[in-house]
Amino acid sequence: MSPQPPTRRRVLKLTAGAAVVGPFAATATEAHAAPNPPSWPVHPFPLGQVTLGDGVFRRKRDLMLGYARAYPADRILAVFRANAGLDTRGARPPGGWETADGNLRGHYAGHFLTLVAQAYADTREAALKAKLDHLVAELAACQQAFADHGSPKPSHPGYLAAYPETQFILLESYTTYPTIWAPYYTCHKIMRGLLDAHTLTGNAQALTVASKMGDWVHSRLGHLPRAQLERMWSIYIAGEYGGMNEVLADLYALTGRAEHLAAARCFDNTALLDACAENRDVLDGRHANQHIPQFTGYLRLYDHTGDEDYAAAARNFWGMVVGPRTYSLGGTGQGEMFRARGAVAATLGDNNAETCATYNMLKLSRQLFFREPDAVHMDYYERGLTNHILASRRDAASTDSPEVTYFVGMGPGVVREYGNTGTCCGGTGMENHTKYQDSVYFRSADGTALYVNLYLASTLRWPERGFVVEQTSTFPAEGVRTLTFREGEGSLDLRLRIPSWATAGVTVTVNGVAQPGAAVPGTYLTLTRYWRPGDRVELSMPYRLRIERALDDPTVQSLFHGPVLLVAQSPATGYRPLSLYRDFTLRGDLASAVRPEGRPQYFTTNGLTLAPFFVADTTRYHAYFRRTEPVVVFGTADSGVPNRARADGLTFLDVLWARAPFATQTQFVTAVRTLADGWLTEGGFTRTERDAVVAAAVRANLRN
């Protein structure tokens, strides 16, 4: 693989029914969805059982609902009708990669099906259901037209695409991108949209069309040697197949047809699968979004096969990305590619964090939680949802563009670019903003526990238990979160996620009475009681200002207010230097150096305005800054001694203030003296420098 292959984004700029019984025996979570595997300890709620309350999440959702309602179905269908020899009714394709001759045409229709299906599940608007049913019926007509009089006829009557079968045939002879793009990626999007139309809205025809497509996939791949399949899936872009293994496993859960499970296993990307199962990190230089959805598929295959390698690979892969390859907003990758483990500061630019990749990392995190309900998965989910996905939808209405981001630059002085009609991120972007509520609440498999994962204003309706629970919240703004049991009664374990950032103390009350038990950041706090209508749970989790250091350069930092990434507004194209320690009081709190600006969640420091990143405009911003603390200074007391760093990159002042707060000036001076003595012993200070630092601490007279 070329070390810097051309990205699809670069190419774009240059070219400018009745439920089917499946193999699981558990109770279905949606009227037409496959049952959840009985091995899952945690289950999701159907999308339509959780509604969003007032706030920024609903405002962003409403912007996308406007697009879903207004965008013409005929434009979505144009490329399919043209390929099937049917009347396009004068409609133009959407554009972007979705053109009459585009090598990825058809993928956008799949995303649009999911968008409309999610929108209907949420709102129950009859017009959205009618639009979705029309789209499905017309795609079914195209599938039938191919089978009846395709020229040439496809190899199997289940074929459905917006281009001839040629791309799939060429892939089998290892043709590379951009001669062909990603045919199975496109196939996945169409099948996923059809399954969503079935499971979210009950459209039986959608399942029929998808099932025929699954039969076609098996007919093409089921007889190919494993070595040939593995070589196909190793090809950059051309071998990208999205979540084909996931959607075929989901199809199998609905149909019970062995061919669909066998087809899913044809997509084993064995070399990478084996490496991740063995926890060998080989991601450097691989296309991020080509591979992330494969691991969600492996989890679904684990559900059906019990093959532990699938589950181990997914767990280990997640750990290779979250943390070692994650920018502060929760995104990953540079120019669509994974870079070296820990390379954060070294890779900052205008082409970081492909939005598709975060979409898929959130899906993977969610799936991992169903099997292993660890708060670490939801901590990441909150970060990515709040600081990337929420920030990816421009705060402006549009009925002809999804107005979402592709890359989200993390380098100095970059700007978000919106639009992306017809691109991969335009497609996933449509979906992102009509499913915000899908992970706010989960339930235990036996229905005895309710997980509250996210603190979004919302209402849960849980008919199996008779509960209606309303959450009032101003999230992502700071404030008390209130859960009120509006209807229903019974014993229930209420499991409240205590975010890892909640280090300023957490208070939980039930009906005004403080609750015992430790609210430990990064865990769930369980409240067990018999709940009755009117019971109120209040959570107070004060936000603190905090910094996060880049793994490869601790002087390159991001600033957060609780869970919210703050970005400095500045057109400068180099890192903005920030000095903060000279303003510290004995509390050692960033609040003494970073002050409220006047607007909610806006701050100022070092002459710069800091804004919450989820405010999605076109202002140039700095998500990372260069921390500059050259001299050991305490308030106005300047020691004149260089603030040198240890081998791990932490400076004297970093280590000192990590020990704050200090109750008194005397305690502060003692801490400085002790640390300075250690610095002297380790060679960080000379004797003269050590004495100067201690003297500065004595005369500083810092306040609380």
Side-chain angles (χ1 to χ4, degrees):
M1 177 189 310
S2 169
Q4 289 187 323
T7 68
R8 292 168 294 175
R9 176 66 164 171
R10 176 63 176 159
V11 172
L12 175 65
K13 286 187 174 182
L14 292 172
T15 59
V20 179
V21 177
F24 293 133
T27 303
T29 59
E30 304 256 8
H32 299 269
N36 292 314
S39 59
W40 287 7
V42 174
H43 292 182
F45 287 99
L47 192 67
Q49 286 182 211
V50 183
T51 57
L52 290 174
D54 290 336
V56 63
F57 286 91
R58 192 162 83 176
R59 290 195 295 273
K60 299 260 191 177
R61 183 219 49 189
D62 288 349
L63 291 171
M64 197 58 76
L65 285 179
Y67 177 76
R69 296 176 183 119
Y71 200 80
D74 283 344
R75 294 194 67 184
I76 295 294
L77 294 165
V79 289
F80 288 90
R81 287 169 169 162
N83 192 40
L86 302 176
D87 185 359
T88 63
R89 305 178 189 182
R92 294 177 293 108
W97 301 341
E98 198 75 14
T99 60
D101 59 353
N103 275 350
L104 212 69
R105 62 190 186 271
H107 79 110
Y108 202 65
H111 290 295
F112 196 81
L113 286 171
T114 297
L115 164 66
V116 180
Q118 290 176 172
Y120 173 72
D122 187 3
T123 66
R124 296 293 166 178
E125 292 180 17
L128 289 170
K129 182 65 163 63
K131 188 172 201 172
L132 184 69
D133 290 346
H134 172 69
L135 286 163
V136 171
E138 291 301 306
L139 289 172
C142 290
Q143 187 181 53
Q144 191 62 48
F146 287 130
D148 290 345
H149 49 73
S151 181
K153 279 194 175 185
S155 62
H156 185 282
Y159 182 72
L160 174 61
Y163 42 67
E165 203 170 3
T166 311
Q167 282 212 41
F168 298 91
I169 297 168
L170 288 172
L171 177 61
E172 291 168 15
S173 60
Y174 316 125
T175 302
T176 58
Y177 167 85
T179 302
I180 63 172
W181 276 35
Y184 281 103
Y185 175 95
T186 310
C187 182
H188 164 244
K189 303 311 172 190
I190 299 166
M191 290 187 70
R192 181 78 268 164
L194 289 165
L195 283 195
D196 288 341
H198 174 69
T199 60
L200 293 174
T201 79
N203 185 301
Q205 187 176 31
L207 179 60
T208 300
V209 176
S211 183
K212 290 179 180 179
M213 290 183 72
D215 294 343
W216 167 80
V217 173
H218 183 259
S219 76
R220 279 225 73 90
L221 301 181
H223 67 281
L224 296 184
R226 172 55 57 186
Q228 183 178 2
L229 292 169
E230 290 175 6
R231 184 172 171 185
M232 287 162 57
W233 310 143
S234 71
I235 302 172
Y236 172 75
I237 296 293
E240 181 175 2
Y241 59 72
M244 279 300 300
N245 49 1
E246 177 198 12
V247 76
L248 285 163
D250 287 349
L251 180 63
Y252 168 67
L254 288 161
T255 67
R257 289 174 51 79
E259 294 89 345
H260 295 156
L261 183 60
R265 302 196 78 169
C266 287
F267 291 91
D268 283 4
N269 191 357
T270 308
L272 181 59
L273 172 62
D274 289 348
C276 290
E278 296 164 8
N279 207 18
R280 288 187 288 111
D281 190 333
V282 295
L283 299 186
D284 188 11
R286 292 180 185 268
H287 186 277
N289 201 52
Q290 180 168 347
H291 296 99
I292 297 169
Q294 297 176 7
F295 290 87
T296 303
Y298 293 148
L299 283 175
R300 299 296 286 127
L301 283 169
Y302 169 71
D303 292 334
H304 295 296
T305 67
D307 186 338
E308 178 57 34
D309 280 354
Y310 285 133
R315 287 193 300 267
N316 293 336
F317 173 83
W318 190 89
M320 294 171 190
V321 178
V322 175
R325 291 183 172 87
T326 303
Y327 301 109
S328 52
L329 83 166
T332 188
Q334 179 195 38
E336 300 188 359
M337 312 300 286
F338 284 128
R339 298 307 180 192
R341 188 182 184 96
V344 174
T347 60
L348 299 177
D350 63 358
N351 61 345
N352 303 118
E354 184 184 3
T355 305
C356 273
T358 299
Y359 160 92
N360 278 308
M361 283 301 299
L362 295 187
K363 287 186 67 174
L364 178 58
S365 300
R366 189 171 185 264
Q367 288 290 322
L368 284 167
F369 191 91
F370 294 151
R371 297 156 179 84
E372 300 174 4
D374 189 325
V376 68
H377 298 123
M378 285 296 116
D379 270 349
Y380 169 74
Y381 197 100
E382 179 186 68
R383 176 188 294 262
L385 184 71
T386 305
N387 297 302
H388 192 171
I389 300 306
L390 189 64
S392 70
R393 178 53 170 88
R394 187 176 187 176
D395 295 323
S398 175
T399 57
D400 60 7
S401 167
E403 290 300 309
V404 292
T405 57
Y406 194 110
F407 294 126
V408 179
M410 290 282 99
V414 296
V415 64
R416 275 170 284 185
E417 297 179 357
Y418 306 95
N420 284 297
T421 297
T423 71
C424 56
C425 291
T428 55
M430 292 190 293
E431 300 179 31
N432 281 329
H433 307 284
T434 50
K435 61 171 185 175
Y436 285 131
Q437 70 268 42
D438 74 350
S439 298
V440 176
Y441 310 98
F442 296 149
R443 63 178 180 85
S444 62
D446 61 5
T448 62
L450 174 64
Y451 290 79
V452 182
N453 305 309
L454 302 171
Y455 295 101
L456 278 59
S458 54
T459 299
L460 166 68
R461 291 172 175 81
W462 188 359
E464 294 85 355
R465 290 295 313 271
F467 286 122
V468 175
V469 181
E470 180 186 21
Q471 180 175 178
T472 56
S473 168
T474 57
F475 187 88
E478 188 175 15
V480 175
R481 323 305 185 194
T482 301
L483 294 158
T484 304
F485 284 76
R486 295 298 186 192
E487 296 179 18
E489 63 178 80
S491 297
L492 183 71
D493 290 344
L494 187 64
R495 295 179 180 166
L496 307 171
R497 185 176 68 90
I498 309 301
S500 58
W501 51 261
T503 58
V506 177
T507 302
V508 180
T509 66
V510 176
N511 299 330
V513 178
Q515 298 300 293
V520 179
T523 68
Y524 280 79
L525 174 67
T526 299
L527 303 179
T528 301
R529 62 182 283 134
Y530 191 96
W531 301 92
R532 293 179 171 83
D535 282 345
R536 290 167 59 87
V537 179
E538 293 187 340
L539 294 90
S540 174
M541 297 179 286
Y543 287 7
R544 290 185 65 182
L545 290 158
R546 59 189 173 86
I547 58 103
E548 289 188 0
R549 299 177 173 92
L551 296 174
D552 50 339
D553 185 347
T555 69
V556 175
Q557 303 178 355
S558 285
L559 188 62
F560 283 79
H561 186 226
V564 177
L565 175 64
L566 301 176
V567 294
Q569 297 179 333
S570 169
T573 56
Y575 285 115
R576 295 306 307 260
L578 262 63
S579 295
L580 303 172
Y581 286 139
R582 67 171 56 249
D583 294 322
F584 273 27
T585 67
L586 293 177
R587 294 196 309 272
D589 195 324
L590 285 165
S592 59
V594 181
R595 307 283 186 163
E597 183 251 24
R599 292 173 288 174
Q601 296 185 275
Y602 281 76
F603 297 83
T604 61
T605 188
N606 288 241
L608 296 169
T609 296
L610 304 175
F613 194 47
F614 62 79
V615 176
D617 55 25
T618 56
T619 303
R620 292 196 173 272
Y621 61 88
H622 296 243
Y624 286 87
F625 58 89
R626 177 77 68 182
R627 188 68 172 271
T628 304
E629 309 282 0
V631 180
V632 178
V633 177
F634 309 117
T636 59
D638 188 338
S639 72
V641 176
N643 181 37
R644 298 189 186 97
R646 303 184 307 199
D648 62 3
L650 297 181
T651 68
F652 178 86
L653 289 175
D654 290 334
V655 178
L656 172 69
W657 288 112
R659 301 177 180 182
F662 304 106
T664 64
Q665 172 73 8
T666 299
Q667 188 183 91
F668 167 71
V669 172
T670 299
V672 172
R673 181 178 289 112
T674 301
L675 185 59
D677 287 343
W679 229 254
L680 172 63
T681 301
E682 296 167 7
F685 288 158
T686 66
R687 169 62 65 179
T688 300
E689 289 173 335
R690 177 266 179 204
D691 293 344
V693 167
V694 174
V698 170
R699 67 176 185 271
N701 195 26
L702 299 183
R703 67 187 188 283
N704 274 310

